[in-house]
Amino acid sequence: MLRIAMGDRKGRPYAGHLQYFFKEKTMAKVILNKQKRGWWKSAVFYQIYPKSFQDTNGDGIGDLRGVISRLDYLAELGIDGIWMSPVCQSPQVDNGYDISDYRAVDPMFGTMEDMETLIAEAKKRGISIILDLVLNHCSDQHIWFKEAITGKDNPYHDYFIWRDGDGVTPPNDMRATFGGSAWTYVPQLGQWYFHQFAVEQPDLNWDNPMVRRELYSTIRFWVQKGVEGFRLDVIDQIGKDADKGITNNGPRLHEFLRELSREAFQEEGLATVGEAWGADVERAKLYSAPDGSELSMVFQFQHIGLDQQPGKDKWDTRPLPLVQLKEVYRSWQQGLHNVGWNSLFMNNHDLPRIVSRWGNDSEEFRVVSAKMLATMLHGMEGTPYIYQGEELGMTNIKLPIEAYADIEIHNMYNERAAKGYTKEEVMESIWARGRDNARTPMQWNAGENAGFTTGKPWLPVNPNHTGINAEAALSDPDSVFHYYQKLIELRKTLEVFRDGEFTLLLPKDEKIFAYTRDTKKGHLLVVCNFTAETLPYEVPETFRNSRLLIHNYKTTAPGLRPYEAAMLYYEEQF
Ligand code: TEU
Ligand code: CA
């Protein structure tokens, strides 16, 4: 453990630190004033992928009543908002990110009444519902598209992006994210339509003011229902120029975002987060400007791309370059301090499980490395997002190709097989990077199907649920769950987590991620060993008499043990 003085300023013994600290500042649940802009700066959000969270009617698919049944668990964790992946009506080509009716709950998830109950029950527990809205594209089963393909003069035709053509050569060589051309031909129209994702996900034409008006009205519909925020799917693509091959960061992007904010996000307290794979720090200052002219924050992905081989696809992995990861976080932490706001995440429904990706999911190191990663992230400035199961240290899974559900996995499998990749190479990539790693059912207990369903789960449950599950975690004071619970409490209790200025320590060290956060009053040190080695380490002089806020080992020892992490804190005595 870190070599720190064996006592605090009043000479209290080291061992008493944690109890002392928590005893002195009992952690009453801090209720945030959600009418005020910026409440999210002391909040922690939790992402639910409803299809995989909790089934209550035995069809093997998670549903809204399942989420309602687990609200007490989430309140126990201490989170303040739930980002719900889409539950609107959808043919499920892309698991709900292909919406066919923005104002209806898909029957597989339940009813609008269930949604209203969820919103009300969550609010009773101090939890806001942040709804995932997919405004860049809709489903080809949406009435707008069904109308649009009936004729060029149909009023809905211009809701989409069409180009005349011969059906042989697409308008340009833009590729769809899920493989193939981004253009599909409709013979009866003699035209191609643009789809950045699946063929069944036609992009909406944001240059058409009617489209924007329809979408703003959809948002107001959900605000009236009591939704207190939105996650905006691939929002950096709404300004695209399909003729010039520009998908994200298009010329009108921020014009549209400012209009979206004015027309649909009037309430100061609405928490809005945009998914922006193409964001950099400068652009994020526009997205998250403190005046609320656009959004509250964005999900940027510069850290997420670091462990893939430069210039290749996400399937072509390489070991995480920790020095580069630290630099990306430094640039975002310092770049947005006082001029914008960060989201903080390592997991979501599109990403492999972080303990398997950047930690170590072996029996020996899974828990300690999951806690280390959480320490690294939750000490920073920004709003942390916990993805369902991350708080349990859930891991990736290795399935046979036929067991997978994700359109992206199957398209990649077929494309790479056709290019001559061996089955082993392709499966290794899928096991490391496939989105279904995050979508296996939530592990509630050691019983059948991990307590997720009494039916046949739509995607296999990870067999390791017998040891990794919420029931076991709740009864274990040293579980990853209770570690996250403490981190969440700390964020609400010490201003340094919200306001502290970030300074990266040891920038060139390839094994230790250490940084400080400083305000006039409070000083925080976060130290993380990213390796399975024991490393020499000395706490900076100024922290020699600090308090231990949280630590993923039960004892102290010189240096840093494998995946050891801690937060140290002291306050200026004025
Ligand atoms: O994701 C956008 C996106 O680009 C990612 O899907 C990423 O490209 C993909 O994971 C390949 O690495 C959003 C949603 O989060 C995702 O679930 C949807 O599939 C996609 O948009 C289309 O709506
Ligand atoms: Ca169900």
Side-chain angles (χ1 to χ4, degrees):
M1 178 44 192
L2 322 166
R3 186 193 301 281
I4 55 175
M6 296 310 282
D8 65 11
R9 292 183 185 285
K10 296 174 186 164
R12 271 174 285 247
Y14 165 82
H17 265 193
L18 222 46
Q19 290 70 14
Y20 155 74
F21 178 74
F22 280 102
K23 191 166 77 247
E24 187 188 50
K25 295 184 183 245
T26 46
M27 300 286 183
K29 166 132 174 110
V30 173
I31 301 297
L32 303 167
N33 174 359
K34 295 187 176 177
Q35 305 310 312
K36 295 294 292 170
R37 182 186 310 287
W39 63 268
W40 45 82
K41 295 190 172 184
S42 301
V44 177
F45 290 162
Y46 187 92
Q47 184 193 355
I48 288 179
Y49 196 69
K51 198 169 183 178
S52 306
F53 193 64
Q54 177 67 69
D55 172 27
T56 55
N57 63 349
D59 66 358
I61 297 169
D63 44 54
L64 292 174
R65 303 216 66 81
V67 178
I68 293 167
S69 75
R70 296 294 181 180
L71 285 174
D72 287 337
Y73 167 82
L74 296 172
E76 175 69 16
L77 181 59
I79 54 107
D80 307 278
I82 295 171
W83 157 20
M84 283 282 288
S85 274
V87 291
C88 291
Q89 189 175 298
S90 162
Q92 295 293 312
V93 168
D94 184 20
N95 278 354
Y97 283 89
D98 50 316
I99 292 176
S100 54
D101 185 340
Y102 286 96
R103 299 179 188 219
V105 171
D106 195 283
M108 69 183 252
F109 290 121
T111 64
M112 184 56 83
E113 188 189 356
D114 292 336
M115 189 63 184
E116 290 160 352
T117 304
L118 169 61
I119 291 168
E121 286 303 313
K123 200 166 277 192
K124 281 180 196 166
R125 295 162 174 85
I127 296 173
S128 301
I129 297 299
I130 314 280
L131 204 58
D132 200 329
L133 272 186
V134 187
L135 306 178
N136 176 68
H137 49 273
C138 64
S139 161
D140 64 352
Q141 298 309 304
H142 196 291
I143 185 66
W144 297 340
F145 192 74
K146 286 181 168 180
E147 286 288 327
I149 56 173
T150 62
K152 294 182 186 178
D153 55 355
N154 182 291
Y156 289 101
H157 189 71
D158 196 24
Y159 275 36
F160 302 93
I161 300 167
W162 299 93
R163 295 295 178 273
D164 293 338
D166 57 8
V168 176
T169 313
N172 58 38
D173 58 3
M174 288 180 75
R175 310 295 293 164
T177 299
F178 296 151
S181 168
W183 298 94
T184 291
Y185 193 64
V186 179
Q188 68 263 30
L189 290 177
Q191 288 186 311
W192 303 82
Y193 68 86
F194 182 80
H195 51 85
Q196 179 59 60
F197 292 95
V199 170
E200 301 88 345
Q201 292 172 290
D203 276 54
L204 288 162
N205 172 16
W206 270 71
D207 287 325
N208 180 346
M210 282 306 294
V211 167
R212 304 202 301 270
R213 199 161 299 131
E214 293 262 20
L215 295 175
Y216 302 159
S217 158
T218 296
I219 290 172
R220 297 311 301 168
F221 170 84
W222 285 107
V223 172
Q224 307 313 327
K225 290 285 180 190
V227 164
E228 293 180 284
F230 296 92
R231 179 267 185 178
L232 301 169
D233 190 61
V234 288
I235 201 67
D236 62 345
Q237 295 189 15
I238 60 174
K240 72 182 66 68
D241 182 330
D243 295 318
K244 294 184 182 143
I246 299 171
T247 42
N248 52 36
N249 301 334
R252 299 185 69 186
L253 172 60
H254 293 284
E255 172 202 337
F256 290 155
L257 284 166
R258 283 192 290 277
E259 183 185 78
L260 166 64
S261 179
R262 277 195 314 276
E263 298 295 324
F265 299 147
Q266 291 95 337
E267 292 78 3
E268 272 209 357
L270 281 178
T272 53
V273 53
E275 180 195 28
W277 283 76
D280 57 18
V281 175
E282 285 317 304
R283 199 171 284 277
K285 290 177 187 172
L286 296 174
Y287 279 121
S288 62
D291 63 2
S293 51
E294 294 191 11
L295 306 175
S296 313
M297 64 194 101
V298 287
F299 291 132
Q300 58 88 8
F301 292 82
Q302 286 181 351
H303 56 315
I304 292 297
L306 289 176
D307 56 356
Q308 79 187 51
Q309 295 164 36
K312 297 214 171 163
D313 290 331
K314 75 175 196 179
W315 309 106
D316 308 308
T317 62
R318 68 171 181 173
L320 175 71
L322 184 64
V323 168
Q324 292 179 38
L325 179 74
K326 300 192 301 187
E327 174 49 25
V328 165
Y329 274 125
R330 183 208 59 75
S331 66
W332 281 84
Q333 288 288 299
Q334 294 180 346
L336 293 189
H337 185 62
N338 293 334
V339 296
W341 192 250
N342 278 290
S343 68
L344 303 169
F345 73 99
M346 310 177 282
N347 282 290
N348 68 28
H349 63 291
D350 292 330
L351 302 175
R353 294 252 173 208
I354 200 66
V355 73
S356 299
R357 181 178 191 174
W358 290 352
N360 181 325
D361 61 10
S362 67
E363 188 60 33
E364 183 182 9
F365 293 126
R366 182 183 61 81
V367 169
V368 73
S369 71
K371 292 178 180 178
M372 180 278 288
L373 291 166
T375 309
M376 178 274 291
L377 194 75
H378 282 251
M380 289 191 202
E381 178 176 293
T383 301
Y385 288 73
I386 301 168
Y387 177 66
Q388 67 182 49
E390 175 186 334
E391 80 281 9
L392 302 178
M394 278 176 63
T395 69
N396 283 353
I397 190 170
K398 291 188 175 178
L399 296 170
I401 186 62
E402 58 274 7
Y404 286 102
D406 182 17
I407 181 172
E408 183 184 57
I409 286 175
H410 285 291
N411 288 359
M412 169 271 188
Y413 181 86
N414 297 330
E415 272 196 3
R416 291 210 161 188
K419 287 178 183 170
Y421 285 77
T422 67
K423 184 174 165 67
E424 291 67 30
E425 285 170 328
V426 173
M427 292 318 295
E428 284 299 331
S429 288
I430 290 170
W431 292 336
R433 287 291 186 275
R435 300 193 299 179
D436 280 348
N437 278 308
R439 301 174 181 184
T440 59
M442 183 69 176
Q443 295 167 196
W444 295 107
N445 59 45
E448 191 181 3
N449 293 324
F452 164 70
T453 179
T454 56
K456 180 179 185 315
W458 72 278
L459 192 66
V461 172
N462 197 316
N464 66 18
H465 74 275
T466 50
I468 303 172
N469 62 73
E471 193 171 82
L474 286 167
S475 58
D476 170 5
D478 294 320
S479 63
V480 180
F481 176 93
H482 285 113
Y483 196 88
Y484 269 86
Q485 189 184 53
K486 279 197 195 87
L487 287 171
I488 295 167
E489 283 171 347
L490 285 170
R491 180 162 289 270
K492 294 193 184 79
T493 314
L494 294 172
E495 283 181 354
V496 71
F497 282 87
R498 186 191 59 204
D499 302 334
E501 185 146 6
F502 178 97
T503 304
L504 179 64
L505 307 181
L506 307 172
K508 298 293 177 219
D509 191 300
E510 295 180 355
K511 299 177 178 178
I512 297 171
F513 191 158
Y515 61 86
T516 54
R517 300 281 309 281
D518 294 289
T519 59
K520 283 198 178 46
K521 174 183 165 192
H523 303 276
L524 177 72
L525 170 67
V526 180
V527 190
C528 300
N529 177 357
F530 262 70
T531 75
E533 305 160 43
T534 294
L535 304 171
Y537 178 76
E538 287 290 330
V539 168
E541 180 63 35
T542 49
F543 282 88
R544 286 289 153 83
N545 285 317
S546 59
R547 290 181 196 150
L548 186 64
L549 289 185
I550 194 165
H551 177 210
N552 64 350
Y553 275 75
K554 285 178 145 176
T555 60
T556 65
L560 286 171
R561 285 163 289 185
Y563 303 104
E564 187 160 12
M567 291 185 176
L568 303 179
Y569 177 74
Y570 71 88
E571 290 182 354
E572 298 294 349
Q573 305 300 324
F574 296 114

